[in-house]
Amino acid sequence: MDKKTEQKKVFLEIVQQLRQLIKMEKIQAGEKLPSERVLSERLGVGRSSVREALRSLELLGLIETRHGGGTFLAATHKHQLVEILSMFILEDEKSKKDVELTRQIHEMEAIRVISCTETLRTLPVWDSFFVKLEIEGTINCRDILRELLITTGNRLSLKIWFQLAAYDGDRLNRNSTEDEKLIIQTMLKSMQLGYEKEALKAYEQWMSTVQSI
């Protein structure tokens, strides 16, 4: 195990132990955490490791350090748990594949929700995408996928999706090809008509095409 991997392992262990400590002691947002010395002793790790972990957690908005006052648990709305996970999930090819599959789970669920909800599947945005493809022959792939998540109204799912989609980079944030045009139109039209299975089938076909690009 190289030094970088070892550091990440220690960080994750400290984060997990801190989480358990906060839970057991019922520390609430705005309340003070134990000192570095106490944490070092209770967690069984060096103070330098504790200090680095706390510094990283502060940057992520999980804790707040007040000059001369100590370290405090931040308010829930400041927590960026997705960012914490995103620092460690791309260690190997299997993890990268897991990221892609997880993103697709969110997209497929969005298609299900929209297909089964009349007020969502009849929104004019789907017609605008369809027409744009018909007239211009291409459309930004990421725009369509993002709109799926936005339409469901699930903000947590959307936040997670943004993080996961970032790892696919140019494969998503690009204009669709001629081979994708009919597939995307089929997905959109099936979704509008409430044909969930057909919409998901077209989506899966689209993702297979994306993987080959």
Side-chain angles (χ1 to χ4, degrees), residues 30-48:
E31 293 183 349
K32 190 174 182 179
L33 272 65
S35 66
E36 286 183 7
R37 179 182 61 79
V38 173
L39 287 174
S40 176
E41 293 174 354
R42 294 186 61 174
L43 302 181
V45 295
R47 289 186 65 174
S48 61

Side-chain angles (χ1 to χ4, degrees), residues 130-147:
F130 191 96
V131 172
K132 182 177 176 64
L133 272 166
E134 191 64 31
I135 295 176
E136 299 181 14
T138 187
I139 196 170
N140 186 279
C141 298
R142 195 168 186 267
D143 286 350
I144 295 179
L145 296 173
R146 182 181 65 241
E147 192 62 38

Side-chain angles (χ1 to χ4, degrees), residues 28-83:
Q28 302 298 313
E31 293 183 349
K32 190 174 182 179
L33 272 65
S35 66
E36 286 183 7
R37 179 182 61 79
V38 173
L39 287 174
S40 176
E41 293 174 354
R42 294 186 61 174
L43 302 181
V45 295
R47 289 186 65 174
S48 61
S49 295
V50 171
R51 189 177 301 115
E52 288 302 315
L54 291 176
R55 187 177 302 164
S56 297
L57 293 177
E58 183 176 17
L59 290 173
L60 292 168
L62 282 168
I63 61 175
E64 298 174 336
T65 300
R66 302 173 188 173
H67 185 65
T71 304
F72 298 78
L73 186 64
T76 304
H77 72 274
K78 294 183 179 180
H79 291 187
Q80 300 181 47
L81 299 178
V82 174
E83 285 83 348

Side-chain angles (χ1 to χ4, degrees), residues 121-136:
R121 67 172 183 258
T122 56
L123 289 173
V125 65
W126 313 123
D127 274 330
S128 67
F129 282 149
F130 191 96
V131 172
K132 182 177 176 64
L133 272 166
E134 191 64 31
I135 295 176
E136 299 181 14

